Amino acid sequence: LMYVPNGKIADAVVDNHGLRQYRRFSTTLTITYDTPPALIEQFVLGLREIIASHPNTRKDLYHVYFNNLSSYSQDVMFYLFFEVPTIKEELQARHEILIQVVKLAQTLGVRFAFPTQTLHLETFPEKKGLVPEPMDGPGYENLLKEFFRKELGKKLD
């Protein structure tokens, strides 16, 4: 049992979260590992456009980034704020945004990942194995140099 004087309660600042201006929404969109980098880039750009064009989202603060390689998926951070006064309006805005995310994924051919296990058969008579063929010493070094030249515009010595 605890007694709190009325004067303390009257002088206290009460934070009513129901009256907040912005409501945060954060989720991770998990996409399959066979999604190529160029498609991930377009998907992320599309997600950002969905947020920017929705009437109830905060336009100056949101984060959409490809940010993790997890055990079964490539992960896209989807973090935004809704500018709505009530939980009912927040849920409606979430619904609208998530429907658009699913439609974008379907349009682009992005598949959402879920925990799975894959069984690879290494020896199959009519198929080449999954293990890369070994190269001589300079082979890997040349591949690395080519990567940096093409992707980063750098020349390795």
Side-chain angles (χ1 to χ4, degrees):
L1 191 58
M2 198 169 157
Y3 294 98
V4 179
N6 288 341
K8 288 241 186 224
I9 293 175
D11 292 337
V13 176
V14 177
D15 194 6
N16 185 346
H17 291 288
L19 297 177
R20 60 191 167 193
Q21 183 177 3
Y22 299 110
R23 293 168 179 263
R24 182 179 60 159
F25 175 60
S26 178
T27 192
T28 300
L29 302 173
T30 58
I31 58 179
T32 59
Y33 263 106
D34 60 356
T35 308
L39 181 52
I40 295 171
E41 288 281 358
Q42 291 305 305
F43 185 56
V44 167
L45 291 174
L47 294 171
R48 290 177 183 157
E49 184 57 35
I50 287 171
I51 294 170
S53 63
H54 193 276
N56 299 113
T57 56
R58 185 172 175 178
K59 310 301 187 248
D60 64 332
L61 181 61
Y62 59 86
H63 301 289
V64 180
Y65 294 100
F66 173 46
N67 76 325
N68 195 29
L69 298 171
S70 64
S71 59
Y72 64 89
S73 64
Q74 300 180 99
D75 298 343
V76 176
M77 173 201 294
F78 193 69
Y79 182 91
L80 64 117
F81 291 88
F82 291 110
E83 192 170 2
V84 292
T86 66
I87 185 69
K88 181 179 179 182
E89 290 167 304
E90 177 187 355
L91 293 173
Q92 180 61 38
R94 279 189 190 200
H95 173 88
E96 293 164 0
I97 289 279
L98 291 174
I99 288 291
Q100 289 300 310
V101 168
V102 171
K103 286 180 179 180
L104 174 66
Q106 282 183 334
T107 300
L108 294 177
V110 171
R111 295 181 307 136
F112 293 110
F114 49 89
T116 60
Q117 288 185 344
T118 305
L119 177 63
H120 294 279
L121 299 175
E122 280 294 317
T123 55
F124 224 105
E126 61 271 0
K127 286 186 116 178
K128 195 169 113 179
L130 297 173
V131 178
E133 294 291 324
M135 294 181 162
D136 60 348
Y140 291 119
E141 188 176 316
N142 290 337
L143 286 176
L144 182 63
K145 286 179 181 178
E146 181 64 17
F147 169 80
F148 278 101
R149 186 188 66 72
K150 279 177 60 181
E151 296 296 324
L152 304 176
K154 292 182 176 181
K155 185 176 180 180
L156 290 182
D157 295 324

